[in-house]
Amino acid sequence: MSSAVLLIHCPDKSGLVASVSDFLARYHGNILHFDQHVDAESQVFFMRAEWELDGFQLNKEEIGTQFELQIASRFDMKWELFFSEERPRMGLFVSQLSHCLFDILSRHEANELAVDIPFILSNHTSLEPVARRFEIPFFHVPNSKDIKQNAEKTILELVHLHKIDFMVLARYMQILSAEFVEQFPNRIINIHHSFLPAFPGAKPYHSAHQRGVKIIGATSHYVTSDLDAGPIIEQDIVRVTHKDSIDDLVLKGRDLEKLVLSRAIRHHINRKILVYGNKTVVF
Amino acid sequence: MSSAVLLIHCPDKSGLVASVSDFLARYHGNILHFDQHVDAESQVFFMRAEWELDGFQLNKEEIGTQFELQIASRFDMKWELFFSEERPRMGLFVSQLSHCLFDILSRHEANELAVDIPFILSNHTSLEPVARRFEIPFFHVPNSKDIKQNAEKTILELVHLHKIDFMVLARYMQILSAEFVEQFPNRIINIHHSFLPAFPGAKPYHSAHQRGVKIIGATSHYVTSDLDAGPIIEQDIVRVTHKDSIDDLVLKGRDLEKLVLSRAIRHHINRKILVYGNKTVVF
Amino acid sequence: MSSAVLLIHCPDKSGLVASVSDFLARYHGNILHFDQHVDAESQVFFMRAEWELDGFQLNKEEIGTQFELQIASRFDMKWELFFSEERPRMGLFVSQLSHCLFDILSRHEANELAVDIPFILSNHTSLEPVARRFEIPFFHVPNSKDIKQNAEKTILELVHLHKIDFMVLARYMQILSAEFVEQFPNRIINIHHSFLPAFPGAKPYHSAHQRGVKIIGATSHYVTSDLDAGPIIEQDIVRVTHKDSIDDLVLKGRDLEKLVLSRAIRHHINRKILVYGNKTVVF
Amino acid sequence: MSSAVLLIHCPDKSGLVASVSDFLARYHGNILHFDQHVDAESQVFFMRAEWELDGFQLNKEEIGTQFELQIASRFDMKWELFFSEERPRMGLFVSQLSHCLFDILSRHEANELAVDIPFILSNHTSLEPVARRFEIPFFHVPNSKDIKQNAEKTILELVHLHKIDFMVLARYMQILSAEFVEQFPNRIINIHHSFLPAFPGAKPYHSAHQRGVKIIGATSHYVTSDLDAGPIIEQDIVRVTHKDSIDDLVLKGRDLEKLVLSRAIRHHINRKILVYGNKTVVF
């Protein structure tokens, strides 16, 4: 089934729900999902509407133009339009740890993720065999503090060449520069292995062990130039006890990382996420 | 702030969202919450709309009439209308266990529950001092298999006399007859101390212990004439291990029962629940 | 049933388990629980042994002396001995929020907590009626930055006069001075309304809302002179979404605070907690 | 590091802990883990002791004989002895669903599971490419009600030929006969896609959807001749709402199945599980 998704935010006002739903009804759009939210503090209105394209009396090219003309312009709306038929293209960035990579690739193969994966990119070569096994192109782009500028230039070329829509840092251990990150707002998803804002930065499992917490977590967020401080998409946790060594935390944490990252990717692919300020609305 | 809530369900059709939101916009209703859901299997449409009464250009008496006339009749809608100012009246049924009773009364006193409690009713007298401490009338209505008919007659009189809107069985250990229950569809909330449909009936903690489960649960549901099989409102669980005796399960379970029952009561009071078939939509 | 509990920690060495279990077996102690843990990093051994006093061939006065003489001195053990018959005396500190107070008192009344509560102490008078309802002495000791020294002098006198074994800060909004706290190591339990180490200090729900986290938490810990940084006893969490306002977080958080604090109190009363460095072993 | 594990159960009696720990101390065994549990109802004692072999003054061949002679015979103990160096051999049974298979194989490749996998066996051929990719022998053994007897004969031969220690049914959709199952008590691990004892048998996600539960689960258990009723090893759950279709339940459930099954396998491999009656003690 072919559908369209509208993501909208604008200053809150009376009549917003009616205006958008009228627009869809006027062209005989059969609504599949219709979610709205008002942030009471900032008085911002958020909406996600998904409807069937089959039977809709505007063709794909006209929808955006007509929506802007008839509705968006009146309410000062920021909006995005997506079609379920157009699979986004996801660039996968990894380092040496395989668990998130395997998890994403096996979900992809089982048709859990409606996405194309034009390449896997790593600063090491150790996961190349995994990429080969799943028949996905693998690029080795060495990266480190000293050569970051050159590395990011190469990455940028690959991203453009392969028409990447969004990137996933699946335990990619390099920090991307502000210059790079700012070119892709809300288009780079990271998994951080702690319950943010607790334990940002390096070695969170060590810090968690030292602090003696009874629960550890993982956080998936959009990358901003502020390290581990971007808009949070999804978090989850697992209990630990004094019996758990750092190695146990790493092992338990891996399961969280896989779960949390894959949920975040799915929300992104399904166009369920609206970012406002430094927060997300996940419908 | 004074608001109105519409709960609607009807056969799914194009234009439902637009029609309801138009109706509200026409009279300058400022929407606070607007949730809809379509059950894909049964093709039933569900909606909950909440809007501010302040500035709404229909008075409270006209809203229902006009909504029926203009909208509901066209779409074969079943609907209910509630006003936030009208606090529902909740009858509390208990037996000898105090934990749910204390929990509800302390929440009530802390203004967590926008509800009036005209009475506490029990088949025992042991919790009368608790009722007295919170200054709520207490009725002792002995009940058991043999005298159920008379007991329920008394209960019915109390319910009508005190204009009870809905009842909460806060570990009330008696089974209400089908005749009684059928007079109050979706208006009697029970807490069952298991993860239904596992372990219905008596002594679920004993059964859970014997089965060796690693997780126990609690379930809050509307009471129907079918024991522990009514529409589920809320469930939650907690981990247990081989170390937990039946007494430990009872202790851990109490915390679940309190949480799950109080969430169900809050959803009911806030008019968040729609029942269809034997299932709930909780917006 | 009357039982004794030994809590032990010492440098790890071969033969520790055998020595302690031999000691208990020698006097015909029937072991109820026997837990041990070795912290691999610090090479510290922890043990909790609980056994029936009935039939044990040392009387209560001799146990400690003989254990020190025969076992502890050989292994450089730090140990504590407790008897189930001796109910600890718990001082309850509150401010204006009632939820934790009600929760603790109703658990106490339902015999969930084997503890005596000689007094409730508050820097406000608003919860005095609750104390009266449960027939527990209430002391109003005004406290604030400026008068802290005097207030703590009064508190200290009350603690000594009433032979308080440990204190529980059940949302007591005052910070106790280092001088005060250091007199009661591992004997003051606090509940902090965040998932520490995230959001220490004031207004954690506001901070959580602003950061846009998808999960909030509560943490119970022993109080040290380092604010919100003492050894963690218990933590738990609940999911939140963009729909949850700060008020919703406060409401959901209350349920966590009650649960987490009551579990910590129960662990403490049941002598399940060993503190080492800034971490806890909870058997 | 090379270690030994003793799993013991016997009628409860004084002196059990002392006897076993004395035995280990006598030969200078450095204890790594020492867990015991008494089932109060059945008066059965359970123990798991793990100690370093390095420096232990009995060689591997003598340990069992001496333990039986000196300790086990006196207390009527049932015991098993394992050595960490001897990796168990796991037979993997699958059908057409790939998620559990991918999960186990990627964990195996990342050294999360200290186990050998001599073969993957399926009643279909669709997952053969996955086996090939991980370079594990794949056997296609067609199976169905009518040919079960022959199929199980073939399976039995493969199990014996490859010296399989235990089998994992990773969403293997065939029911093994009582004759087969009874030859491998506590050596066949299954994953059932519901929160047992709720929804045993076929299509649990459909049943859960129809019942309108708010939480779904997965259960890993040892297979007995009684369908889905064997000793439970591990369970976990995830929240669902009215928004979740059956397909959504299937998708969410997959993540549970992977987690729960892998935890059960790890417990089994690490010799953490004792089965008594129809229940497990998982240390």
Side-chain angles (χ1 to χ4, degrees):
Chain A
M1 190 189 57
S2 176
S3 67
V5 170
L6 255 177
L7 295 182
I8 301 166
H9 69 94
C10 63
D12 192 27
K13 214 181 260 191
S14 275
L16 284 161
V17 172
S19 298
V20 178
S21 56
D22 273 351
F23 176 82
L24 298 178
R26 189 173 313 141
Y27 300 104
H28 296 205
N30 190 27
I31 288 176
L32 298 169
H33 298 285
F34 194 90
D35 295 287
Q36 64 97 41
H37 171 67
V38 175
D39 186 292
E41 245 170 296
S42 57
Q43 288 297 309
V44 175
F45 172 88
F46 300 91
M47 177 180 279
R48 179 187 188 276
E50 182 167 1
W51 70 98
E52 287 185 53
L53 281 178
D54 194 39
F56 195 58
Q57 299 186 339
L58 287 177
N59 62 41
K60 281 165 68 172
E61 288 66 37
E62 297 167 313
I63 297 175
T65 330
Q66 289 302 316
F67 184 73
E68 176 62 34
L69 199 70
Q70 299 181 34
I71 312 290
S73 53
R74 278 168 50 204
F75 292 100
D76 199 14
M77 286 177 175
K78 305 240 182 281
W79 57 273
E80 290 182 285
L81 178 66
F82 302 98
F83 299 107
S84 65
E85 289 165 348
E86 295 170 10
R87 288 162 72 92
R89 296 168 65 81
M90 172 172 88
L92 253 180
F93 288 52
V94 298
S95 188
Q96 301 204 76
L97 291 168
S98 67
H99 58 287
C100 284
L101 178 61
F102 263 125
D103 188 67
I104 292 168
L105 296 182
S106 55
R107 287 173 193 277
H108 187 242
E109 188 158 308
N111 293 318
E112 282 185 30
L113 302 172
V115 78
D116 291 331
I117 307 179
F119 66 70
I120 295 165
L121 184 154
S122 178
N123 55 332
H124 290 91
T125 56
S126 49
L127 294 180
E128 181 161 18
V130 178
R132 203 157 43 219
R133 246 187 267 173
F134 285 83
E135 292 170 16
I136 294 178
F138 178 92
F139 298 117
H140 174 221
V141 183
N143 196 351
S144 65
K145 256 192 177 168
D146 299 338
I147 57 168
K148 195 182 295 297
Q149 217 178 345
N150 270 334
E152 293 190 350
K153 208 173 143 241
T154 309
I155 294 173
L156 208 56
E157 287 167 5
L158 287 167
V159 165
H160 289 312
L161 184 65
H162 292 270
K163 299 188 171 52
I164 295 301
D165 290 307
F166 71 106
M167 291 163 252
V168 168
L169 311 188
R171 299 299 309 274
Y172 180 64
M173 313 301 264
Q174 297 299 313
I175 296 172
L176 297 167
S177 71
E179 292 70 41
F180 186 93
V181 165
E182 281 158 9
Q183 296 177 62
F184 304 100
N186 308 324
R187 286 167 63 194
I188 309 175
I189 297 175
N190 186 40
I191 179 71
H192 182 75
H193 40 315
S194 86
F195 185 92
L196 289 174
F199 311 125
K203 294 202 171 280
Y205 292 130
H206 288 72
S207 307
H209 192 256
Q210 186 172 352
R211 181 61 188 92
V213 294
K214 300 301 185 187
I215 286 174
I216 58 169
T219 304
S220 190
H221 62 95
Y222 286 118
V223 176
T224 61
S225 56
D226 202 356
L227 184 66
D228 295 333
I232 294 173
I233 304 170
E234 170 68 352
Q235 303 187 289
D236 212 339
I237 60 96
V238 70
R239 288 202 160 263
V240 297
T241 75
H242 59 269
K243 290 191 183 182
D244 290 298
S245 65
I246 291 177
D247 285 351
D248 294 326
L249 299 195
V250 169
L251 209 59
K252 287 187 167 185
R254 280 184 188 178
D255 285 347
L256 283 183
E257 295 164 30
K258 293 189 289 188
L259 268 181
V260 169
L261 179 56
S262 68
R263 286 184 199 144
I265 293 173
R266 192 176 295 133
H267 290 323
H268 183 92
I269 293 173
N270 293 342
R271 316 302 185 178
K272 299 251 180 186
I273 312 174
L274 277 153
V275 178
Y276 181 75
N278 201 41
K279 296 163 69 167
T280 61
V281 169
V282 182
F283 279 124
Chain B
M1 191 188 57
S2 175
S3 68
V5 171
L6 256 176
L7 295 181
I8 301 166
H9 70 92
C10 64
D12 191 29
K13 211 181 261 190
S14 275
L16 283 162
V17 171
S19 298
V20 177
S21 56
D22 273 349
F23 177 81
L24 297 178
R26 189 172 315 142
Y27 301 105
H28 295 206
N30 189 28
I31 288 176
L32 298 169
H33 298 286
F34 193 90
D35 295 287
Q36 64 97 41
H37 172 66
V38 175
D39 185 294
E41 246 171 295
S42 58
Q43 288 296 308
V44 175
F45 171 88
F46 300 90
M47 178 180 279
R48 180 185 187 277
E50 183 167 1
W51 70 97
E52 287 184 54
L53 280 178
D54 193 40
F56 195 57
Q57 299 185 339
L58 285 177
N59 62 41
K60 281 163 70 170
E61 289 66 38
E62 296 168 314
I63 297 174
T65 329
Q66 289 303 316
F67 183 74
E68 177 61 37
L69 200 70
Q70 298 181 35
I71 311 291
S73 53
R74 279 167 50 202
F75 292 101
D76 200 14
M77 287 177 175
K78 304 241 183 278
W79 56 275
E80 291 181 285
L81 178 65
F82 302 98
F83 299 108
S84 64
E85 289 164 346
E86 295 170 9
R87 287 162 73 92
R89 297 169 64 82
M90 172 172 89
L92 253 181
F93 289 52
V94 297
S95 189
Q96 302 204 75
L97 290 167
S98 66
H99 57 288
C100 284
L101 179 61
F102 264 124
D103 188 66
I104 292 168
L105 296 183
S106 54
R107 286 173 193 277
H108 187 243
E109 190 159 304
N111 292 319
E112 282 186 30
L113 303 172
V115 79
D116 291 330
I117 307 179
F119 65 70
I120 294 163
L121 184 154
S122 177
N123 55 333
H124 290 90
T125 56
S126 48
L127 294 180
E128 182 162 17
V130 178
R132 204 157 42 218
R133 244 187 269 175
F134 286 82
E135 291 171 17
I136 294 177
F138 179 92
F139 297 116
H140 174 221
V141 183
N143 195 351
S144 67
K145 253 191 178 170
D146 300 338
I147 58 169
K148 193 180 296 296
Q149 216 177 345
N150 270 332
E152 292 190 349
K153 209 174 143 239
T154 308
I155 293 171
L156 208 56
E157 287 167 6
L158 286 166
V159 165
H160 289 313
L161 185 65
H162 292 269
K163 299 188 169 52
I164 295 300
D165 290 307
F166 72 106
M167 290 162 254
V168 168
L169 311 187
R171 299 300 309 274
Y172 181 65
M173 312 300 265
Q174 298 298 313
I175 297 171
L176 296 167
S177 72
E179 292 72 40
F180 185 93
V181 164
E182 283 159 7
Q183 295 176 63
F184 304 99
N186 308 325
R187 287 168 62 194
I188 309 176
I189 298 174
N190 187 40
I191 179 72
H192 182 74
H193 40 315
S194 86
F195 186 92
L196 289 174
F199 312 124
K203 296 201 170 280
Y205 293 129
H206 288 73
S207 307
H209 192 256
Q210 186 171 355
R211 181 62 187 91
V213 293
K214 301 300 184 188
I215 286 175
I216 58 168
T219 305
S220 189
H221 61 94
Y222 286 118
V223 177
T224 61
S225 55
D226 204 355
L227 185 65
D228 296 332
I232 294 172
I233 305 170
E234 170 68 353
Q235 303 188 288
D236 213 338
I237 60 95
V238 70
R239 289 203 160 262
V240 296
T241 76
H242 60 269
K243 289 191 183 179
D244 289 298
S245 66
I246 292 176
D247 286 350
D248 294 326
L249 299 194
V250 168
L251 209 58
K252 287 187 168 185
R254 279 184 188 178
D255 285 346
L256 283 182
E257 295 164 31
K258 292 190 288 189
L259 267 181
V260 170
L261 179 56
S262 67
R263 287 184 199 145
I265 293 173
R266 191 175 297 134
H267 290 323
H268 183 91
I269 293 173
N270 294 342
R271 317 302 186 180
K272 299 252 181 185
I273 312 173
L274 276 151
V275 178
Y276 180 76
N278 201 42
K279 295 163 70 168
T280 62
V281 170
V282 181
F283 280 124
Chain C
M1 191 189 58
S2 176
S3 67
V5 171
L6 256 176
L7 294 182
I8 301 166
H9 69 93
C10 63
D12 192 27
K13 210 180 263 191
S14 275
L16 283 162
V17 171
S19 298
V20 177
S21 56
D22 273 350
F23 176 82
L24 298 178
R26 189 173 315 141
Y27 300 105
H28 295 206
N30 189 26
I31 289 175
L32 298 168
H33 298 285
F34 193 91
D35 294 289
Q36 65 96 41
H37 171 66
V38 175
D39 185 295
E41 245 170 296
S42 57
Q43 288 296 309
V44 176
F45 172 88
F46 300 92
M47 178 180 278
R48 181 187 186 276
E50 182 167 1
W51 70 98
E52 286 185 54
L53 281 178
D54 195 39
F56 195 58
Q57 298 185 341
L58 286 177
N59 61 39
K60 282 165 68 171
E61 289 68 33
E62 297 167 313
I63 297 174
T65 329
Q66 289 302 314
F67 184 74
E68 176 62 35
L69 199 70
Q70 299 181 35
I71 311 291
S73 53
R74 279 168 49 204
F75 292 101
D76 199 14
M77 286 176 175
K78 305 242 183 279
W79 56 273
E80 291 182 286
L81 178 65
F82 301 98
F83 299 107
S84 66
E85 289 164 348
E86 295 169 9
R87 287 162 73 93
R89 297 168 65 79
M90 172 172 87
L92 254 180
F93 290 50
V94 296
S95 188
Q96 302 204 77
L97 290 167
S98 67
H99 58 287
C100 284
L101 179 61
F102 264 125
D103 188 66
I104 293 169
L105 296 182
S106 55
R107 286 172 193 277
H108 187 243
E109 188 159 307
N111 292 318
E112 282 186 29
L113 302 173
V115 79
D116 290 331
I117 307 178
F119 66 70
I120 294 163
L121 184 153
S122 177
N123 55 334
H124 289 90
T125 56
S126 49
L127 294 179
E128 182 161 20
V130 178
R132 203 156 44 219
R133 244 186 270 175
F134 285 84
E135 292 170 17
I136 294 179
F138 179 93
F139 297 117
H140 174 221
V141 183
N143 196 349
S144 66
K145 256 192 177 166
D146 300 337
I147 57 169
K148 195 182 294 298
Q149 215 177 346
N150 270 334
E152 292 191 350
K153 208 174 143 239
T154 307
I155 294 173
L156 208 57
E157 286 167 6
L158 286 167
V159 165
H160 289 312
L161 184 67
H162 291 270
K163 299 187 169 52
I164 294 302
D165 290 307
F166 72 106
M167 290 162 254
V168 168
L169 311 187
R171 299 299 311 273
Y172 181 64
M173 312 300 265
Q174 296 299 314
I175 296 172
L176 295 167
S177 72
E179 292 71 41
F180 186 93
V181 164
E182 281 158 9
Q183 296 177 61
F184 303 99
N186 307 325
R187 286 167 63 196
I188 309 176
I189 298 173
N190 186 40
I191 178 72
H192 182 75
H193 41 316
S194 86
F195 185 92
L196 290 173
F199 311 124
K203 297 205 170 278
Y205 292 129
H206 288 72
S207 307
H209 192 256
Q210 186 172 354
R211 180 64 187 91
V213 293
K214 299 302 185 186
I215 286 175
I216 58 167
T219 304
S220 189
H221 62 94
Y222 286 118
V223 175
T224 61
S225 55
D226 204 355
L227 184 65
D228 295 333
I232 293 173
I233 305 170
E234 170 69 352
Q235 302 187 289
D236 212 339
I237 60 95
V238 70
R239 287 201 162 264
V240 297
T241 75
H242 60 270
K243 288 190 184 181
D244 289 297
S245 66
I246 292 176
D247 286 350
D248 294 326
L249 299 195
V250 169
L251 209 59
K252 287 187 168 186
R254 279 184 187 179
D255 284 346
L256 282 182
E257 295 165 29
K258 293 190 289 188
L259 268 181
V260 169
L261 179 57
S262 68
R263 287 184 199 146
I265 293 173
R266 191 176 296 134
H267 290 322
H268 183 93
I269 292 173
N270 294 343
R271 317 301 187 179
K272 299 250 180 187
I273 312 174
L274 277 151
V275 177
Y276 180 76
N278 200 42
K279 294 163 69 168
T280 61
V281 170
V282 182
F283 280 123
Chain D
M1 190 188 55
S2 175
S3 67
V5 171
L6 256 176
L7 294 181
I8 301 166
H9 69 92
C10 64
D12 190 29
K13 214 182 259 190
S14 276
L16 284 161
V17 171
S19 298
V20 178
S21 56
D22 273 351
F23 177 83
L24 297 177
R26 189 173 315 141
Y27 301 105
H28 296 205
N30 189 28
I31 289 176
L32 298 168
H33 298 285
F34 193 90
D35 295 288
Q36 64 97 41
H37 172 66
V38 175
D39 185 293
E41 246 170 297
S42 58
Q43 287 296 309
V44 175
F45 172 89
F46 300 90
M47 178 179 279
R48 180 185 187 277
E50 182 166 1
W51 70 98
E52 286 185 53
L53 281 179
D54 193 40
F56 195 58
Q57 299 186 338
L58 285 177
N59 61 40
K60 282 165 68 171
E61 289 66 37
E62 295 168 315
I63 298 174
T65 329
Q66 288 303 315
F67 184 73
E68 176 61 35
L69 200 70
Q70 299 180 35
I71 311 291
S73 54
R74 279 167 50 204
F75 293 101
D76 201 15
M77 285 176 175
K78 304 240 184 281
W79 57 273
E80 289 181 287
L81 178 65
F82 301 98
F83 299 107
S84 64
E85 289 165 347
E86 295 169 10
R87 286 163 74 92
R89 295 169 65 80
M90 172 172 88
L92 253 181
F93 290 52
V94 298
S95 189
Q96 302 205 76
L97 290 168
S98 67
H99 57 289
C100 284
L101 178 61
F102 263 123
D103 188 65
I104 292 169
L105 296 181
S106 54
R107 287 173 192 277
H108 187 244
E109 188 159 307
N111 292 318
E112 283 187 29
L113 302 172
V115 78
D116 290 331
I117 307 178
F119 66 69
I120 294 164
L121 185 154
S122 177
N123 56 333
H124 289 91
T125 56
S126 48
L127 294 180
E128 182 161 17
V130 178
R132 203 159 40 220
R133 244 186 271 175
F134 286 83
E135 292 170 17
I136 295 178
F138 179 92
F139 298 117
H140 175 221
V141 183
N143 196 351
S144 65
K145 254 189 178 168
D146 299 337
I147 58 169
K148 193 181 294 298
Q149 217 177 343
N150 270 332
E152 293 190 350
K153 208 174 143 242
T154 307
I155 294 173
L156 208 56
E157 287 167 5
L158 286 167
V159 165
H160 289 311
L161 184 66
H162 292 271
K163 299 188 169 52
I164 295 300
D165 290 306
F166 72 106
M167 289 162 256
V168 168
L169 312 187
R171 300 297 310 273
Y172 181 65
M173 312 302 264
Q174 297 299 312
I175 296 172
L176 296 166
S177 72
E179 293 70 41
F180 186 92
V181 164
E182 282 158 9
Q183 296 177 61
F184 303 99
N186 308 326
R187 287 169 60 196
I188 309 174
I189 297 174
N190 186 40
I191 179 71
H192 182 74
H193 41 315
S194 85
F195 186 93
L196 290 174
F199 311 123
K203 294 202 171 280
Y205 293 129
H206 287 73
S207 306
H209 191 256
Q210 186 171 355
R211 180 63 187 91
V213 294
K214 300 301 185 187
I215 285 175
I216 59 169
T219 304
S220 189
H221 62 94
Y222 286 119
V223 176
T224 62
S225 56
D226 204 355
L227 184 66
D228 295 332
I232 293 172
I233 304 170
E234 171 67 353
Q235 302 187 289
D236 212 337
I237 60 96
V238 70
R239 288 203 160 261
V240 296
T241 75
H242 60 268
K243 289 191 182 179
D244 289 298
S245 66
I246 291 176
D247 286 349
D248 294 325
L249 299 195
V250 169
L251 208 59
K252 288 187 167 186
R254 279 183 187 179
D255 284 346
L256 282 182
E257 295 165 31
K258 292 190 289 188
L259 267 182
V260 168
L261 180 56
S262 67
R263 286 183 199 146
I265 293 173
R266 191 176 296 137
H267 290 322
H268 183 91
I269 292 173
N270 294 341
R271 315 303 185 179
K272 301 252 179 185
I273 312 175
L274 278 152
V275 177
Y276 180 76
N278 201 42
K279 295 162 71 167
T280 61
V281 170
V282 181
F283 281 123

